[in-house]
Amino acid sequence: MRQEVDKSMKFQSTDDYVATDDLTVAVNAAVTLERPLLVKGEPGTGKTELARQVSQSLGLRMIEWNVKSTTRAQQGLYEYDAVSRLRDSQLGDARVHDVKNYIRKGKLWQAFEAEEKVVLLIDEVDKADIEFPNDLLQELDKMEFFVYETGETISARHRPIVIITSNNEKELPDAFLRRCFFHYIRFPDPETLRKIVEVHHPGIKDALLTAALTQFYDIREQAGLKKKPSTSEVLDWLKLLLAEDMTAADLKSSGTSALPKLHGALLKNEQDVHLFERLAFMARSGR
């Protein structure tokens, strides 16, 4: 199924989302090629939020399919509830004569039958079984699938913009990768992160932001860190700093403590907390 691409449909940064130039190019390339956009990056870099912002920027409705470890590709198409139909037949329910009463439409079906073009987010595809992406190849290629129980073929009325996210937890099949336009969201540099912070915390004092980001990047670059804090976590941390009315001087007043103020927003496991406690101990011992 081929449809004319709307060349005026261009994604760009929104008031709520700072998109880098390379990310903007990747989104628009995927839209032009009519291929799924596969977005990878460490957790918290805005992969899921990207789909929401593409939806907002292009004025399209979004359909979200959150993938779990137990998710099967078939669930994205439809599920047939044979057990309920058997039970209803035993009870003499008239609904049993129409098999459509026992078919639950999946997210792909909903996207395919939409009256208008939509954004379809397949979120965290790498959480599912390794065969999950391969099981969707034909449907994403042809934009149609067959319903065996009713004998009908469901074809997309308007080809959706498909955005697929991955946290890189497992390798994806080559056949699947060949069908996608790929983009890796790199962790933002300080200048870009400043712009992101301004969106979420407008008017934050420059001295506080400079001190906070300096400390934040120092933490991320610390050798031996098990989980580096993400963009979403630094935004939470700054929200707490503002709520506590902290200043740049407060952030610098840790003395020999290597733990940042309100570190629970940034360090999310005991190993990393212990790492910074050991650094603090070594700093005190070396005085």
Side-chain angles (χ1 to χ4, degrees):
M1 186 209 73
R2 301 290 298 174
Q3 292 175 344
E4 189 68 25
V5 180
D6 184 354
K7 291 182 172 59
S8 66
M9 189 172 284
K10 294 290 184 182
F11 168 69
Q12 55 190 356
S13 292
T14 69
D15 292 338
D16 302 320
Y17 190 86
V18 177
T20 57
D21 291 342
D22 58 342
L23 178 57
T24 302
V25 168
V27 172
N28 290 321
V31 171
T32 300
L33 292 172
E34 296 186 324
R35 288 190 177 275
L37 174 64
L38 174 61
V39 184
K40 289 188 178 183
E42 61 182 81
T45 48
K47 299 185 297 297
T48 302
E49 184 61 24
L50 170 64
R52 299 191 180 103
Q53 296 303 323
V54 169
S55 168
Q56 179 182 324
S57 175
L58 301 182
L60 304 177
R61 180 166 65 94
M62 190 178 89
I63 295 176
E64 187 170 351
W65 184 13
N66 296 302
V67 177
K68 301 177 181 179
S69 60
T70 55
T71 303
R72 294 175 294 106
Q74 180 64 32
Q75 292 171 310
L77 308 181
Y78 68 93
E79 291 184 278
Y80 170 54
D81 192 348
V83 174
S84 292
R85 192 180 189 195
L86 175 61
R87 183 194 61 220
D88 288 349
S89 68
Q90 293 170 338
L91 296 174
D93 193 321
R95 294 174 70 252
V96 76
H97 299 298
D98 188 352
V99 69
K100 291 183 179 180
N101 291 324
Y102 303 94
I103 290 179
R104 184 185 304 118
K105 297 176 181 179
K107 299 296 184 180
L108 265 72
W109 190 328
Q110 294 172 33
F112 285 5
E113 74 172 0
E115 296 287 349
E116 73 290 348
K117 194 178 191 70
V118 300
V119 173
L120 172 63
L121 168 63
I122 304 177
D123 202 22
E124 299 190 324
V125 68
D126 53 329
K127 276 189 174 181
D129 183 86
I130 190 62
E131 290 303 320
F132 177 87
N134 277 338
D135 290 342
L136 290 175
L137 288 181
Q138 181 169 319
E139 288 74 18
L140 292 177
D141 255 357
K142 296 186 176 181
M143 284 287 145
E144 66 179 28
F145 62 89
F146 186 70
V147 183
Y148 294 94
E149 289 77 9
T150 64
E152 61 182 326
T153 297
I154 305 299
S155 299
R157 296 180 181 179
H158 305 276
R159 193 178 190 98
I161 296 172
V162 181
I163 297 177
I164 304 170
T165 72
S166 168
N167 285 328
N168 233 2
E169 292 181 3
K170 63 168 69 94
E171 288 295 322
L172 299 174
D174 288 344
F176 178 77
L177 295 175
R178 282 197 300 272
R179 288 164 170 82
C180 297
F181 190 93
F182 172 76
H183 182 74
Y184 183 86
I185 297 183
R186 294 179 177 84
F187 194 82
D189 57 38
E191 182 181 350
T192 303
L193 190 52
R194 275 180 172 271
K195 293 178 182 177
I196 294 171
V197 170
E198 273 294 335
V199 167
H200 293 270
H201 302 298
I204 187 171
K205 292 181 179 178
D206 186 68
L208 173 61
L209 181 55
T210 298
L213 292 187
T214 298
Q215 198 168 58
F216 172 72
Y217 278 101
D218 285 345
I219 292 170
R220 274 187 59 88
E221 293 168 8
Q222 177 59 53
L225 200 65
K226 183 176 181 181
K227 182 195 176 299
K228 294 182 178 182
S230 67
T231 309
S232 60
E233 286 159 343
V234 74
L235 292 174
D236 286 345
W237 185 49
L238 286 167
K239 183 177 181 179
L240 289 173
L241 296 181
L242 291 170
E244 295 292 328
D245 201 24
M246 288 194 176
T247 64
D250 293 327
L251 290 183
K252 297 172 183 176
S253 65
S254 300
T256 56
S257 174
L259 280 169
K261 302 284 188 182
L262 300 165
H263 63 268
L266 299 175
L267 305 177
K268 297 302 178 74
N269 60 69
E270 62 276 16
Q271 295 98 315
D272 289 344
V273 172
H274 291 160
L275 170 64
F276 279 88
E277 287 174 341
R278 287 195 301 273
L279 291 173
F281 175 76
M282 291 169 63
R284 288 194 298 269
S285 300
R287 282 187 302 176

